[in-house]
Amino acid sequence: MIIAVTSLLVSHYLVKDLSNEERKKMEVWAEALHALSHADENTDLSLVLDVMQGNTTIPVIVLNENGEIDDYRNITDTLDLKAYAKRMQQSGDTIVVGSQIVCYDESLLLKRLSQYPYWQLGVVMIFVVVAIFALLASKKAEQNKVWVGLSKETAHQLGTPISSLMAWVEILKENHPEDDLIPELDKDVKRLERIAERFSKIGSLPEPKEGSMNDVLNHVVDYMRRRTSNKVEMVCHVPEQSVIVKMNSSLFEWVVENLCKNAVDAIEGSGRIDLSLREEGSKVVLEVKDTGKGIRKKDVKNVFTPGFTTKQRGWGLGLSLAKRIVEEYHNGRIFVKSSELGKGTTFRVELPR
């Protein structure tokens, strides 16, 4: 801002000084014109003619006492000289000498000089905008590298203990084949293995395959029902015919799980969660609606920001990872469709068919 204001001020005073210089030149030129019009055969006109011919840049129109054009200089477009002279008179660029009126305009050089700072500022603004976008892109790329590195390191660190747990589960199966708890333990170990697999895929671009959205939703709902209170009612509305979408099933299950977990936290132990799947034109739409506490309007735009959370023990990563999975890996959209305090929230996910 300081550079811009300084540049404009300097150019303004420079243009003003040059304008005054041109005014003085035109006053001398007008006096030379007056001297030429009143000269006789004994008058030395060499100096007068030098002054008259010395003006090669400033447009001039000379009017007589009747307003008719007597002469003009440095004007290429002569189609409407009267209108041009009238504009000069309205702007005050006139000199009255005897019965003649000398009308003049700024020279082309002065006009360019007066416009130059604005062109300069325009170029600077373009440069600043490009620089800002470059910085934002660089910052986003750096954040992505951090999240990718964190995800891959998490998957790597989970790998060794999960392998050990899988071995212990196999030993327990052999030694206690009748124990009913071992199959549940095996499910949880496989669950950990699936989580590690998801984290490992965050840093790569998994190839999407055709899969049934019905199966994904039913699997997530079945998993969540066994791990939530009986006071939490989960209802899944899916079409009778399977909805086939190109997706990475493992990662998309993670998205649905995150939405369901947030809904469970929002209803605080008692309420209803509805998962609705349908096809709308060229899109497949999934909506997760809860009867929880809702989201404040000022927080709606931040729910997908990494690190943002309203929970005391939350990390604020679930929805940001869900957004990344939906938008970058599946070319879809995820957003808060509606939310009202005390009544609940609806998240909407759109994927191309």
Side-chain angles (χ1 to χ4, degrees):
M1 290 298 294
I2 292 173
I3 292 173
V5 172
T6 303
S7 176
L8 287 174
L9 286 175
V10 170
S11 63
H12 171 73
Y13 286 113
L14 182 60
V15 168
K16 187 177 180 181
D17 290 341
L18 289 175
S19 180
N20 291 333
E21 288 294 321
E22 288 192 352
R23 173 80 182 184
K24 291 177 182 178
K25 287 181 180 179
M26 290 313 303
E27 288 176 351
V28 173
W29 192 89
E31 289 295 334
L33 176 66
H34 182 68
L36 181 63
S37 61
H38 290 79
D40 54 27
E41 64 274 6
N42 298 320
T43 305
D44 184 7
L45 298 176
S46 57
L47 180 60
V48 172
L49 292 175
D50 286 342
V51 172
M52 296 288 293
Q53 295 173 359
N55 176 27
T56 58
T57 58
I58 304 174
V60 181
I61 298 176
V62 180
L63 303 177
N64 59 26
E65 56 186 0
N66 298 321
E68 301 296 329
I69 297 174
D70 282 349
D71 193 11
Y72 62 87
R73 299 285 178 91
N74 305 320
I75 298 175
T76 55
D77 185 6
T78 60
L79 295 178
D80 200 358
L81 289 176
K82 286 188 176 181
Y84 192 11
K86 187 176 182 180
R87 288 199 301 271
M88 292 177 182
Q89 288 178 302
Q90 289 175 347
S91 62
D93 297 327
T94 57
I95 299 172
V96 179
V97 180
S99 61
Q100 293 179 312
I101 301 174
V102 177
C103 306
Y104 69 94
D105 195 6
E106 293 178 344
S107 65
L108 182 61
L109 178 63
L110 186 59
K111 288 180 178 179
R112 287 177 177 174
L113 186 60
S114 61
Q115 295 172 359
Y116 172 73
Y118 297 100
W119 287 102
Q120 183 184 35
L121 289 177
V123 172
V124 170
M125 287 303 298
I126 292 173
F127 174 78
V128 169
V129 170
V130 171
I132 289 173
F133 275 108
L135 287 172
L136 291 176
S138 175
K139 183 180 178 182
K140 185 177 180 181
E142 185 178 353
Q143 288 177 341
N144 286 338
K145 287 181 180 179
V146 171
W147 292 118
V148 168
L150 176 63
S151 300
K152 284 188 172 294
E153 182 63 21
T154 302
H156 177 71
Q157 294 295 336
L158 286 173
T160 302
I162 289 174
S163 299
S164 178
L165 286 172
M166 291 173 68
W168 281 112
V169 168
E170 292 301 320
I171 293 173
L172 288 173
K173 283 181 180 179
E174 293 178 2
N175 295 335
H176 306 279
E178 304 298 328
D179 197 321
D180 295 334
L181 295 178
I182 294 176
E184 293 299 319
L185 180 61
D186 186 37
K187 288 180 182 179
D188 285 334
V189 172
K190 288 180 179 178
R191 170 72 180 169
L192 283 173
E193 186 181 15
R194 180 181 288 268
I195 290 172
E197 179 190 0
R198 289 171 177 173
F199 273 109
S200 67
K201 288 179 178 178
I202 285 294
S204 58
L205 286 174
E207 184 179 351
K209 297 179 181 179
E210 288 189 352
S212 172
M213 285 282 287
N214 304 52
D215 294 342
V216 170
L217 294 186
N218 289 329
H219 185 270
V220 173
V221 170
D222 182 59
Y223 171 79
M224 293 297 298
R225 278 174 179 164
R226 295 199 306 268
R227 286 161 176 78
T228 54
S229 168
N230 292 331
K231 295 181 180 180
V232 177
E233 183 183 4
M234 298 192 70
V235 182
C236 190
H237 309 277
V238 297
E240 294 183 3
Q241 187 176 0
S242 292
V243 178
I244 306 300
V245 178
K246 270 196 169 186
M247 61 180 173
N248 183 283
S249 299
S250 177
L251 289 180
F252 198 77
E253 277 188 21
W254 198 3
V255 173
V256 182
E257 282 179 20
N258 276 317
L259 294 176
C260 290
K261 286 178 181 177
N262 279 337
V264 170
D265 292 335
I267 61 180
E268 297 178 333
S270 179
R272 177 184 171 108
I273 301 172
D274 289 272
L275 289 85
S276 303
L277 177 66
R278 61 182 179 274
E279 294 177 287
E280 293 183 359
S282 61
K283 297 180 293 186
V284 173
V285 175
L286 167 65
E287 291 185 355
V288 180
K289 180 181 180 181
D290 64 67
T291 58
K293 57 186 178 181
I295 305 172
R296 293 181 298 180
K297 286 186 178 180
K298 68 176 184 178
D299 291 336
V300 169
K301 62 181 179 181
N302 297 319
V303 294
F304 296 105
T305 304
F308 177 82
T309 180
T310 56
K311 295 178 284 189
Q312 292 182 349
R313 296 186 179 182
W315 281 36
L317 299 181
L319 287 177
S320 64
L321 288 173
K323 183 178 179 68
R324 181 189 180 97
I325 292 169
V326 170
E327 295 185 354
E328 295 189 18
Y329 296 162
H330 293 87
N331 297 319
R333 291 178 63 211
I334 180 171
F335 55 94
V336 179
K337 180 183 178 182
S338 61
S339 185
E340 189 173 350
L341 292 176
K343 292 188 177 181
T345 302
T346 301
F347 280 88
R348 182 181 173 100
V349 179
E350 297 177 353
L351 296 182
R353 290 181 63 179

